[in-house]
Amino acid sequence: MTTEAEQFERIITEVFVDSLIAATKVAGEIADLIRARNKEKKNTVLGLATGSTPLPVYRELVRQHREENLSFRNVYTFNLDEYYGLDTDHPESYHQFMWQRLFSQVDIPKGHVHLPSGTIQRSDVFQFCDGYEEKIESLGGLDYQILGIGRTGHIGFNEPGSSKDSKTRLVSLDALTRRDAARDFLGEVNVPRYAITMGVGTILQARKVVLMAWGQGKAEVVRQAVEEPPSEHLPAGLLQEHPDVRLFIDDPASDQLTRFKIPWLVGPVDWQHRTIRKAVLWLSGKVNKPILKLRDSDYNEHGLGELLTEVGPAYDLNIKVFNQTQHTISGWPGGKPDADDTNRPERAKPFPKRVLVLASEPDEDILCMGGTIHRLNNQGNQVHLAYLTSGNLAVPDGMARQILSLMSVMEGELGVKKSETFSLGQVAEVLLEELQSSDEDSGDLKSIRQVKSLLRRNEVWNASASLKTDRKNLHFLDLPFYEKGRYRAFHPEKEDLGKLVSLFREIEPHQIYFTGGLVDPVSVSGVSFGLFKQAIQAISKDKWVKDTHFWSYRGIAQEWPLFEIDMAVPLSPDELNLKIDASFQYHSQRQQFPLCDAAYKEIWQQIDELNRDTAKAYDSLGMAEYEAIEAFKRFKLEKLI
Ligand code: F6R
């Protein structure tokens, strides 16, 4: 039965505080099904997915196999899809993925495993796909199908336009899907253009379907799939026609659902401080009026009559929220010395402050809060920038080649006298050969990764210098989880945690800026955030931490919604320019993620727009009009541990 809050939802949607809990529940259901079938001496037929989303499900199934005797002897599996044109032993092939993550770790007979083939001849594809469907049918159909969802709304590789009757077939991948896979393939050019996928019709025939989604990046597409009428434009929405489908999502993936985004439209609301602010700021946007011009009638006509009854009238409510919002604006992110700080987001003392800005990769900090970093520096604070990973996986080979080939001819061209023991050109030539011989599939040799790390460091040296950060305050942690791992296969260990804890204790910061709490937990940023939380836990009893404020920046693609902003740092036109100029230093990232069609923006355009839009949003609320704003949300220590 749907509750009042869920009335806008056309698919049963369960929201979990954390993806691990949700995934454990899915794994538990699958395990129960297998056990029940095993008892009846029957087979279980599973439909499986790859990608980041199902990883914790497979981890839990493997655990249950090892520790709780869950047997896969009578299990048959059919994977949703495979890239067309990739050998089965390519590290990004779904064959590799499934064997590494699940099949090789449980007792499933090899012959029970089915994946579409990425290597069959084009002329055999139709027959192969037909055979795949027949095989599923001959085993009695899929009992339980798990799914992830792509940002295009795809399930399997059924991109927008796929019909609800579609069957297993060869498809071409959407530009956004290829862009999302660019990191895995170490560059968009390496991402295959085609795939073989089960059809939407194949998926709809499974007896039970569970779709999972983690992280803020999926929130909008989840809302569309759950709340909009089914349409071929969004294949995941076609699941609404299935009689036994459920969505399991985590908190960040749920935040665009009407019951969370605009709860007063769906039912009674517990009017807490943040919800009140959320409602008033939403109303101001909805009726396009500054806060102080909102009338009782505006509240009443937009489902907020109850709020007026509890904390109205409009005049009082408006002033209260106006003042709160006004007080989030501060040009002194490190606190203003000798000022009354009663209504300022950051305290005046101590001054100057030791500030630590954390970034998972060497660009995130400046792209998201370069203006604030500049201010903190200018106002006399001691600013440290720390990069958890080297970011070398995201440097295209072409860029390393360019630098090395320049180095290899430099001595000769410039007529530099060669030293007897050391020749820059020789070193570069050896590295160039190594780069040439390194197999694109298996990743780079250590020396090449070092070159790429250096390239990213060099970008940071240049970008941060223009924002006045002292070079000795740059910390490149090069955490081992990243150096040893691959995208979606990072396993942080004690050593990673130790490095972060030591950094905290070395600096004892008064402010820590961080990010990553709302992203997919297996991404670089998600893994880094997990480590950050563990490190905070480890130091939470240290005396100095009591005096530390934790500020979160949201990320490159999104800003905090207005009601969540605790500190809004206005940037002057010059400061915004300075930040944009600094962002041009990240050449490797501009090469790695170029524009791939007219709808995409370059990184600098994205951040420029984001900061300007935040300023415009403040302006429309009736606040002062600034050129740009960077925003932060404050977290109390207790919320982080
Ligand atoms: C994978 C698949 C895709 C993914 C989707 C989400 O077999 O069929 O539909 O489920 O692209 O990918 P992740 O989980 O990596 O976000």
Side-chain angles (χ1 to χ4, degrees):
M1 213 180 65
T2 337
T3 64
E4 192 174 358
E6 294 156 1
Q7 61 185 290
F8 285 79
E9 295 165 23
R10 298 157 175 259
I11 298 182
I12 296 173
T13 304
E14 290 190 44
V15 182
F16 295 80
V17 277
D18 161 333
S19 59
L20 213 58
I21 302 174
T24 308
K25 186 164 175 200
V26 176
E29 288 189 8
I30 296 174
D32 288 348
L33 178 71
I34 297 175
R35 287 198 178 95
R37 288 294 175 93
N38 284 350
K39 227 185 216 164
E40 297 168 26
K41 305 244 174 310
K42 284 191 185 150
N43 296 328
T44 311
V45 186
L46 300 177
L48 300 179
T50 55
S52 305
T53 311
L55 284 173
V57 176
Y58 298 149
R59 227 174 285 137
E60 172 62 12
L61 287 174
V62 169
R63 189 198 67 75
Q64 291 212 22
H65 167 70
R66 289 195 184 138
E67 297 171 16
E68 296 170 18
N69 289 329
L70 176 66
S71 172
F72 287 74
R73 291 212 151 274
N74 301 320
V75 173
Y76 287 80
T77 65
F78 288 86
N79 262 84
L80 282 165
D81 39 21
E82 175 60 286
Y83 290 111
Y84 185 65
L86 276 199
D87 280 341
T88 39
D89 58 1
H90 188 289
E92 286 307 320
S93 81
Y94 288 168
H95 279 75
Q96 280 293 315
F97 180 103
M98 289 309 300
W99 278 99
Q100 277 174 12
R101 305 311 170 91
L102 183 65
F103 302 147
S104 68
Q105 308 207 39
V106 295
D107 58 345
I108 191 165
K110 204 167 175 209
H112 289 197
V113 165
H114 304 88
L115 285 108
S117 165
T119 53
I120 39 165
Q121 292 282 319
R122 180 67 188 82
S123 52
D124 296 335
V125 168
F126 181 78
Q127 218 177 354
F128 175 86
C129 295
D130 221 32
Y132 204 68
E133 294 279 337
E134 267 173 24
K135 193 88 208 195
I136 297 176
E137 230 178 276
S138 71
L139 285 163
L142 301 167
D143 292 311
Y144 196 111
Q145 172 70 56
I146 60 174
L147 298 171
I149 181 171
R151 287 198 301 147
T152 57
H154 72 214
I155 45 176
F157 274 136
N158 293 285
E159 300 288 11
S162 303
S163 94
K164 70 175 194 316
D165 301 317
S166 53
K167 295 287 175 204
T168 304
R169 68 203 186 289
L170 182 69
V171 292
S172 72
L173 299 177
D174 189 279
L176 180 59
T177 300
R178 293 189 65 237
R179 193 180 158 101
D180 281 348
R183 279 188 168 251
D184 304 334
F185 282 88
L186 311 176
E188 199 173 316
V189 285
N190 305 322
V191 182
R193 294 187 175 273
Y194 302 97
I196 293 185
T197 181
M198 277 186 198
V200 179
T202 327
I203 294 168
L204 287 175
Q205 274 172 11
R207 277 182 277 282
K208 246 184 209 310
V209 178
V210 170
L211 185 147
M212 296 169 282
W214 325 133
Q216 63 181 1
K218 301 285 172 73
E220 177 51 25
V221 80
V222 161
R223 183 198 64 76
Q224 290 171 23
V226 173
E227 297 192 355
E228 287 185 2
S231 132
E232 287 174 2
H233 296 304
L234 196 94
L238 298 172
L239 292 172
Q240 291 173 20
E241 304 192 355
H242 192 281
D244 189 354
V245 59
R246 284 164 303 151
L247 240 74
F248 282 27
I249 58 180
D250 64 359
D251 264 342
S254 75
D255 87 348
Q256 293 300 309
L257 293 179
T258 308
R259 67 168 138 144
F260 300 111
K261 197 169 180 202
I262 325 173
W264 43 91
L265 293 189
V266 276
V269 171
D270 178 16
W271 289 110
Q272 304 281 343
H273 174 78
R274 279 235 190 234
T275 332
I276 296 177
R277 202 168 146 212
K278 182 174 180 172
V280 176
L281 299 185
W282 169 84
L283 183 65
S284 159
K286 183 83 189 161
V287 299
N288 203 8
K289 284 185 188 173
I291 300 173
L292 294 175
K293 289 192 178 173
L294 294 173
R295 294 167 182 267
D296 285 300
S297 55
D298 293 320
Y299 283 88
N300 284 321
E301 284 160 20
H302 291 87
L304 288 168
E306 191 200 323
L307 174 63
L308 277 190
T309 324
E310 282 198 31
V311 275
Y315 181 77
D316 295 349
L317 196 52
N318 294 349
I319 295 224
K320 198 167 151 199
V321 174
F322 179 88
N323 285 338
Q324 276 168 6
T325 311
Q326 175 87 358
H327 294 151
T328 62
I329 303 175
S330 173
W332 290 83
K336 187 170 185 181
D338 306 323
D340 172 8
D341 57 9
T342 328
N343 286 319
R344 289 177 173 273
E346 185 53 84
R347 65 220 190 277
K349 286 196 178 115
F351 195 87
K353 292 190 175 58
R354 286 187 301 276
V355 178
L356 174 60
V357 181
L358 299 173
S360 64
E361 289 198 38
D363 60 359
E364 211 175 17
D365 52 342
I366 288 178
L367 293 179
C368 296
M369 52 172 291
T372 304
I373 291 173
H374 181 246
R375 272 197 177 215
L376 286 162
N377 276 324
N378 256 359
Q379 292 168 351
N381 299 287
Q382 188 193 101
V383 182
H384 296 260
L385 308 181
Y387 302 97
L388 272 64
T389 72
S390 67
N392 58 25
L393 288 172
V395 177
D397 281 354
M399 180 141 188
R401 197 174 303 120
Q402 207 179 359
I403 304 280
L404 290 172
S405 58
L406 178 65
M407 277 168 64
S408 71
V409 297
M410 226 172 203
E411 285 169 330
E413 293 289 319
L414 300 181
V416 179
K417 216 168 145 255
K418 276 190 189 168
S419 104
E420 276 173 20
T421 48
F422 168 74
S423 153
L424 187 65
Q426 279 165 356
V427 175
E429 265 167 38
V430 172
L431 287 169
L432 259 177
E433 263 171 43
E434 285 185 4
L435 181 63
Q436 217 67 41
S437 65
S438 82
D439 178 3
E440 168 197 299
D441 299 349
S442 52
D444 291 323
L445 294 169
K446 197 163 171 225
S447 51
I448 300 300
R449 285 190 66 171
Q450 279 172 333
V451 170
K452 291 183 170 181
S453 302
L454 259 178
L455 270 166
R456 293 205 72 176
R457 277 192 193 193
N458 187 48
E459 291 172 353
V460 169
W461 289 328
N462 289 316
S464 60
S466 61
L467 302 177
K468 304 210 177 135
T469 305
D470 196 331
R471 193 143 154 179
K472 73 173 189 329
N473 291 343
L474 300 176
H475 307 264
F476 297 96
L477 300 188
D478 291 347
L479 291 186
F481 85 82
Y482 185 88
E483 299 307 310
K484 292 185 206 156
R486 227 188 132 81
Y487 287 117
R488 304 182 209 251
F490 296 121
H491 305 289
E493 288 169 13
K494 271 211 177 104
E495 205 185 342
D496 297 290
L497 185 60
K499 282 191 160 197
L500 203 51
V501 169
S502 310
L503 179 75
F504 287 165
R505 292 203 166 128
E506 182 192 320
I507 300 174
E508 298 192 351
H510 301 110
Q511 285 190 324
I512 298 183
Y513 289 84
F514 67 97
T515 187
L518 299 171
V519 300
D520 179 351
V522 306
S523 63
V524 178
S525 189
V527 172
S528 300
F529 177 72
L531 276 167
F532 163 71
K533 274 186 67 164
Q534 286 179 43
I536 295 298
Q537 175 85 44
I539 53 150
S540 60
K541 298 259 158 27
D542 290 13
K543 233 165 125 202
W544 59 270
V545 183
K546 309 254 165 322
D547 196 29
T548 304
H549 281 192
F550 296 90
W551 292 102
S552 178
Y553 58 99
R554 179 85 184 243
I556 293 165
Q558 258 176 313
E559 189 50 278
W560 293 108
L562 290 173
F563 76 95
E564 302 233 51
I565 297 176
D566 294 314
M567 177 159 71
V569 181
L571 309 186
S572 69
D574 284 348
E575 257 166 339
L576 181 64
N577 282 346
L578 203 64
K579 168 176 168 173
I580 300 299
D581 280 350
S583 81
F584 284 136
Q585 298 299 332
Y586 301 114
H587 303 288
S588 65
Q589 300 312 287
R590 296 180 77 194
Q591 251 191 49
Q592 176 79 334
F593 304 110
L595 296 184
C596 62
D597 81 25
Y600 298 126
K601 298 174 190 100
E602 278 212 53
I603 295 176
W604 75 266
Q605 287 171 308
Q606 202 168 329
I607 52 177
D608 183 80
E609 240 172 58
L610 202 67
N611 295 162
R612 286 179 192 277
D613 284 351
T614 312
K616 272 189 215 138
Y618 264 75
D619 178 28
S620 338
L621 296 174
M623 313 276 142
E625 190 177 345
Y626 293 103
E627 181 83 357
I629 285 181
E630 289 173 345
F632 303 89
K633 175 172 168 164
R634 186 167 164 207
F635 282 78
K636 292 260 161 70
L637 178 67
E638 312 78 77
K639 280 262 174 206
L640 291 170
I641 54 179

